[in-house]
Amino acid sequence: MKTILIAGGAGFLGSNLCKKLIKDNIVICLDNLITGNMANIIPYLESPNFKFIKHDIINPIDIEIDEIYNLACPASPIHYQKDPIHTLKSSVFGIYNLLELAKKYNAKILQASTSEVYGNPLEHPQKESYFGNVNINGPRSCYDEGKRCAESIMYEYNKQYNTQIRIARIFNTYGKNMQKDDGRVISNFIIQALKNEDITIYGDGLQTRSYCYVDDLIDGLIKLMASNITTPTNLGNPIEYTILKTAKIIISKTNSQSKLIFKNLPIDDPQKRKPDISKAKKELNWEPKISLNEGLDNTISYFKEII
Ligand code: UDP
């Protein structure tokens, strides 16, 4: 059995990863519980294979481990913009502390990077080779530049110390264990639709996103960790939707009476986003299997239970 550290293990992706890895491994879950939620990991607290430690990775930690997954950072724009300095510290000090741990115990380490490293992309779809179009001085830069810097730190540890690194560039993901107050598009629209409240479209709704169901994403992360790929790898679903279309699909699936209302587009909101996943397909034999239809059914059932 391996001992696997999951930083951000009580969060949306982290808790789904705990669920999968706890079957065959010892899982040590770290979380500062700022956006993570104990309710996500309650089912595992009794397991002898599971240990929770309340810890913020901006501070060093010393635990003997074989693998590290770093998912510890608020990922929703409203959350990561609440305390931007802390967001930067989570990405930069956080990955530094975990890389030191990986170096000490000769462990493999996977960093949850993001499609935000591409900013408001001028290349479409986005390939890993694209350098991105990021505003250094905008409200999203604490997250975007923090994650870009984390990738640089990973790269340098691999070069200087031969640390076994994996970098997943994660595109929009949705599903079970998202928080009610997450603020991202799929959770907002489902909750608004279930309550028959107005659906908030930011801007004209013609901007696009491509949505990956969480189970597919978790499979991708595990495959990437098991591979030998030390360069960044896009993980996401390449089927692209406008925000307006997304709202219409969710209204129809929930039989909602909700109306669309239009609000200001947030500053630097990317106009389009869609991953090129040919690298993951070829080198990991991975691609998403769960359709938006099926993923939304699961996610709508989940939100029905918790609201
Ligand atoms: N969005 C929206 N209404 C909402 C939440 C989000 O129109 O209630 C839009 C947002 O402006 C963006 C897209 O949906 O264009 C995806 O936003 P999200 O916050 O999910 O994440 P992002 O991909 O921007 O990081």
Side-chain angles (χ1 to χ4, degrees):
M1 262 195 177
K2 281 186 277 196
T3 302
I4 302 180
L5 184 83
I6 304 180
F12 164 46
L13 295 182
S15 58
N16 279 286
L17 190 60
C18 289
K19 180 180 176 185
K20 187 93 184 198
L21 292 179
I22 200 175
K23 290 176 189 148
D24 307 306
N25 304 279
I26 305 288
V27 169
I28 300 173
C29 166
L30 301 185
D31 209 295
N32 61 10
L33 298 177
I34 291 180
T35 52
N37 185 347
M38 283 306 284
N40 287 340
I41 53 167
I42 281 174
Y44 321 123
L45 291 175
E46 301 283 290
S47 164
N49 287 2
F50 189 79
K51 183 173 179 191
F52 171 71
I53 303 171
K54 185 165 186 281
H55 178 81
D56 192 322
I57 57 160
I58 71 172
N59 302 305
I61 189 159
D62 190 352
I63 310 171
E64 193 169 349
I65 34 77
D66 302 301
E67 287 180 359
I68 302 170
Y69 287 84
N70 180 26
L71 303 153
C73 189
S76 159
I78 57 163
H79 290 296
Y80 69 65
Q81 290 172 25
K82 239 180 233 163
D83 185 349
I85 302 291
H86 192 264
T87 300
L88 280 159
K89 284 183 179 170
S90 302
S91 287
V92 178
F93 298 174
I95 197 61
Y96 169 75
N97 286 326
L98 295 180
L99 277 160
E100 281 295 301
L101 192 63
K103 181 165 142 240
K104 179 167 178 184
Y105 293 109
N106 205 16
K108 287 198 283 187
I109 177 167
L110 183 146
Q111 162 70 354
S113 189
T114 167
S115 53
E116 282 286 322
V117 300
Y118 302 122
N120 188 11
L122 305 176
E123 176 180 302
H124 192 73
Q126 293 80 52
K127 278 202 221 52
E128 290 88 350
S129 54
Y130 180 46
F131 290 171
N133 176 37
V134 175
N135 181 1
I136 311 168
N137 295 301
R140 296 175 89 101
S141 95
C142 60
Y143 185 72
D144 300 11
E145 295 295 0
K147 289 283 187 179
R148 286 168 68 96
C149 182
E151 284 200 18
S152 303
I153 303 172
M154 293 280 283
Y155 171 82
E156 296 300 349
Y157 267 75
N158 176 253
K159 227 170 57 182
Q160 287 188 40
Y161 306 120
N162 201 26
T163 308
Q164 280 313 295
I165 62 160
R166 309 284 181 265
I167 299 173
R169 290 190 178 152
I170 300 173
F171 284 65
N172 295 64
T173 303
Y174 68 100
K176 193 170 180 274
N177 289 6
M178 290 188 100
Q179 298 305 296
K180 276 182 288 190
D181 67 349
D182 181 274
R184 279 177 288 188
V185 64
I186 297 279
S187 50
N188 271 10
F189 287 1
I190 291 178
I191 292 167
Q192 289 161 346
L194 289 175
K195 294 182 168 174
N196 292 311
E197 291 172 353
D198 291 338
I199 303 267
T200 50
I201 307 280
Y202 303 158
D204 57 13
L206 297 179
Q207 71 272 36
T208 67
R209 293 295 186 272
S210 311
Y211 311 108
C212 187
Y213 188 64
V214 63
D215 291 358
D216 280 332
L217 197 276
I218 297 299
D219 284 347
L221 292 178
I222 292 171
K223 281 193 165 177
L224 180 60
M225 181 66 105
S227 76
N228 290 319
I229 307 173
T230 55
T231 50
T233 305
N234 286 342
L235 293 179
N237 192 315
I239 304 176
E240 189 182 8
Y241 297 85
T242 65
I243 298 305
L244 272 180
K245 177 82 182 164
T246 310
K248 286 176 186 159
I249 294 171
I250 291 174
I251 288 174
S252 143
K253 289 189 81 64
T254 50
N255 289 318
S256 175
Q257 305 301 311
S258 295
K259 302 270 173 293
L260 305 183
I261 57 161
F262 291 83
K263 297 204 157 188
N264 290 339
L265 187 70
I267 297 169
D268 293 334
D269 196 287
Q271 266 309 300
K272 49 192 171 180
R273 184 181 291 152
K274 166 184 156 121
D276 179 321
I277 57 163
S278 30
K279 180 175 176 185
K281 270 189 188 166
K282 184 162 166 250
E283 296 186 31
L284 297 177
N285 192 24
W286 176 86
E287 67 183 308
K289 296 192 177 76
I290 299 160
S291 66
L292 186 64
N293 192 34
E294 185 186 348
L296 282 179
D297 283 341
N298 297 345
T299 312
I300 291 166
S301 306
Y302 161 73
F303 276 115
K304 269 188 190 159
E305 266 174 45
I306 67 160
I307 60 174

